[in-house]
């Protein structure tokens, strides 16, 4: 299975964000002593006892509120509940059991999901306060966990309990001989349409199976080009446009889809051109180290002359200067124009992202590069590069051993990367360089 999902739910102001930040080890959620505070990022990853976990921080639940924002937060929390493998139900010992706690407890029990009840703000050392025991009236099967989100005490007990509920979960990828393709982009860029067109022209559909994210459907296809799993994602809107909290989960699903993918198709609406939001979405794939194909859709709706393709290409290259490796395709999902050729490009960038180069060949290229451009020096000290080796693929990752990391300037790293691309290709995939001092162990 992929990484399990743990959702932290509860009524407003019980300390969900504080606990979330403590569990992931960084201050990602905005913590403010105001019920219903908006959070820009509500998910993160942690590792516990050798297991990797995804955590979701949710807005507070007000089960019977007529307030529009609070009702949206309830809907958001319900999505988290539906998405999660385990739910941490957080309560506040200082307020004692409230009517909302009771209503939420009923709501969680109806979900049928494993529940880990935790009582927050037990900040004093030693036995819990008497109010702690009131929460047993909520009727959960397992022992309550006392926790202090501020101090971090009890956070390990929560993760232990979550792993216990997950049972024999093994953090290994499922066996799958398909190329997994995540289709990402803004709303209405044509993500579903491109999948439907690609599937429609290639009738040998193996199956439609439920995706790892409960509300997604992965489409498996087998044809003369190979075997593929297409992962459709909810459109990612500009952050200022995300009024409904549900939209945060479309971003979560997109991140998770990219994580699962071997190749990303970044859909761009030709009528809108490349936008700031497209740049941010492309950054998700780039930062994740995924092979990417830029697909400009709705090309049939653009008036063209001899320079139209070049002008669009130049605009994209300027906006996405950090990923010059990604090929650009102009297609029409509506008419099918050039859609079939996407299969060949998917195969190509997947092959490029997974190729391995022998250490001997790498060091031949490195030696030639240092002859062409001498390594930099500073204050009489010159960078010495000893050797390079590849340690992983997808993305191709290389360790370079040298005498002084500080002398290995970014510009020279970029030069080495360009030499690797000139020799071995690596079309469509980012490359990762790790610089180590000689004597350090490679990761």
């Amino acid at each position: 299975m992929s990484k399990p999902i743990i959702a932290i739910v509860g009524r407003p102001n019980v300390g969900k964000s504080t606990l979330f930040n403590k569990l992931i080890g960084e201050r990602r959620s905005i913590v403010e002593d105001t019920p219903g505070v908006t959070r820009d990022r509500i998910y993160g990853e942690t590792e516990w006892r050798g297991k990797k976990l995804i955590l979701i921080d949710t807005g507070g639940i007000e089960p019977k509120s007529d307030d529009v924002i609070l009702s949206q937060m309830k809907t958001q929390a319900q999505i988290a509940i539906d998405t999660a493998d385990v739910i941490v139900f957080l309560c506040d010992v200082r307020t004692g059991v409230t009517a909302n706690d009771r209503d939420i407890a009923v709501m969680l029990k109806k979900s049928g999901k494993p529940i880990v009840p935790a009582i927050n703000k037990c900040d004093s050392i030693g036995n819990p306060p008497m109010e702690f025991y009131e929460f047993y009236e909520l009727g959960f099967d397992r022992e309550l966990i006392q926790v202090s989100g501020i101090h971090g005490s009890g956070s390990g007990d929560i993760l232990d309990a979550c792993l216990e509920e997950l049972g024999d979960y093994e953090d290994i990828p499922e066996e799958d001989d398909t190329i997994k393709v995540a289709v990402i982009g803004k709303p209405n860029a044509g993500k579903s349409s491109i999948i439907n067109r690609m599937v429609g022209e290639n009738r040998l559909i193996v199956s439609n199976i439920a995706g790892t994210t409960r509300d997604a459907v992965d489409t498996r296809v087998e044809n003369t080009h190979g075997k593929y799993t297409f992962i459709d994602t909810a459109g990612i809107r500009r952050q200022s446009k995300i009024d409904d909290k549900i939209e945060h989960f479309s971003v979560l699903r997109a991140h998770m889809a990219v994580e699962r993918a071997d190749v990303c198709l970044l859909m761009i609406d030709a009528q809108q051109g490349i936008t700031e939001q497209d740049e941010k979405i492309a950054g998700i794939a780039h930062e994740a180290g995924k092979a990417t194909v830029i697909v400009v859709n709705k090309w049939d709706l653009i008036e063209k002359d001899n320079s139209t393709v070049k002008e669009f290409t130049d605009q994209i290259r300027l906006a996405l200067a950090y990923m010059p490796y990604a090929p650009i395709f102009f297609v029409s999902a509506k008419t099918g124009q050039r859609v079939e050729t996407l299969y060949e490009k998917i195969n190509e960038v997947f092959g490029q992202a997974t190729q391995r180069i022998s250490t001997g060949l790498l060091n031949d290229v490195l030696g030639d590069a240092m002859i062409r451009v001498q390594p930099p020096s500073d204050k009489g000290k010159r960078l010495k590069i000893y050797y390079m080796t590849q340690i992983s693929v997808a993305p191709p990752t290389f360790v370079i051993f040298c005498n002084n990391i500080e002398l290995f300037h970014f510009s020279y790293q970029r030069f080495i990367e360009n030499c690797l691309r000139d020799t071995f290709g690596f079309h469509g995939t980012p490359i990762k360089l790790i610089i180590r001092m000689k004597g350090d162990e490679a990761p």
Side-chain angles (χ1 to χ4, degrees), residues 163-419:
L163 289 182
E164 181 182 329
E165 293 292 352
L166 287 166
D168 294 330
Y169 149 64
E170 300 233 0
D171 189 14
I172 56 174
E174 295 176 340
E175 290 192 20
D176 189 349
D177 61 350
T178 66
I179 298 176
K180 291 174 284 297
V181 183
V183 185
I184 60 176
K186 296 184 303 185
N188 304 316
K191 297 181 297 299
S192 296
S193 298
I194 203 76
I195 293 176
N196 290 339
R197 172 64 69 171
M198 295 183 79
V199 170
E201 291 181 353
N202 299 272
R203 302 290 181 177
L204 297 177
I205 302 173
V206 177
S207 62
N208 288 326
I209 59 171
T212 302
T213 51
R214 306 292 192 276
D215 54 352
V217 174
D218 293 353
T219 304
R220 290 194 176 184
V221 179
E222 182 176 355
N223 54 41
T224 55
H225 300 285
K227 299 178 181 179
Y228 308 87
T229 298
F230 287 97
I231 310 167
D232 194 3
T233 62
I236 309 174
R237 298 184 186 177
R238 185 184 296 270
Q239 193 69 27
S240 61
K241 300 291 186 182
I242 303 181
D243 298 321
D244 189 333
K245 291 286 187 174
I246 298 172
E247 288 297 331
H248 283 297
F249 283 87
S250 71
V251 179
L252 168 62
R253 289 192 294 269
H255 276 272
M256 293 174 65
V258 168
E259 179 187 303
R260 295 169 52 210
D262 301 309
V263 176
C264 293
L265 298 185
L266 172 64
M267 302 296 296
I268 294 176
D269 187 330
Q271 292 182 296
Q272 297 182 17
I274 184 77
T275 67
E276 181 182 352
Q277 188 65 1
D278 291 319
E279 295 177 40
K280 292 180 180 179
I281 297 168
I284 295 174
H286 176 73
E287 290 298 324
K290 301 297 181 177
T292 301
V293 178
I294 300 169
V295 182
V296 182
N297 191 28
K298 307 181 184 179
W299 194 239
D300 56 307
L301 302 179
I302 301 299
E303 292 188 14
K304 308 173 190 67
D305 57 33
N306 292 336
S307 62
T308 306
V309 170
K310 183 181 184 304
E311 290 173 358
F312 261 80
T313 300
D314 290 344
Q315 290 171 12
I316 292 171
R317 291 300 181 208
L318 180 63
L320 304 182
Y322 55 86
M323 52 191 311
Y325 53 81
I328 302 172
F329 260 63
F330 297 86
V331 307
S332 169
K334 182 178 180 180
T335 67
Q337 180 184 17
R338 282 189 288 277
V339 171
E340 179 71 19
T341 58
L342 280 176
Y343 279 111
E344 297 174 7
K345 189 55 63 175
I346 290 169
N347 288 349
E348 178 186 340
V349 299
F350 175 73
Q352 293 283 296
T354 54
Q355 69 170 316
R356 285 190 176 273
I357 310 299
S358 71
T359 299
L361 280 176
L362 286 175
N363 287 284
D364 286 345
V365 172
L366 181 63
D368 290 342
M370 289 190 292
I371 291 173
R372 288 166 51 196
V373 177
Q374 195 173 42
S377 62
D378 183 41
K379 298 178 181 178
K381 294 181 179 179
R382 182 167 298 281
L383 173 68
K384 293 181 181 179
I385 302 176
Y386 300 111
Y387 70 96
M388 173 169 53
T389 187
Q390 184 174 1
I391 60 170
S392 65
V393 298
T397 303
F398 306 90
V399 176
I400 302 178
F401 290 92
C402 67
N403 65 328
N404 190 324
I405 292 176
E406 293 182 0
L407 292 176
F408 210 137
H409 300 154
F410 174 79
S411 58
Y412 202 72
Q413 292 183 40
R414 179 58 58 87
F415 167 67
I416 297 297
E417 177 181 333
N418 289 337
C419 290

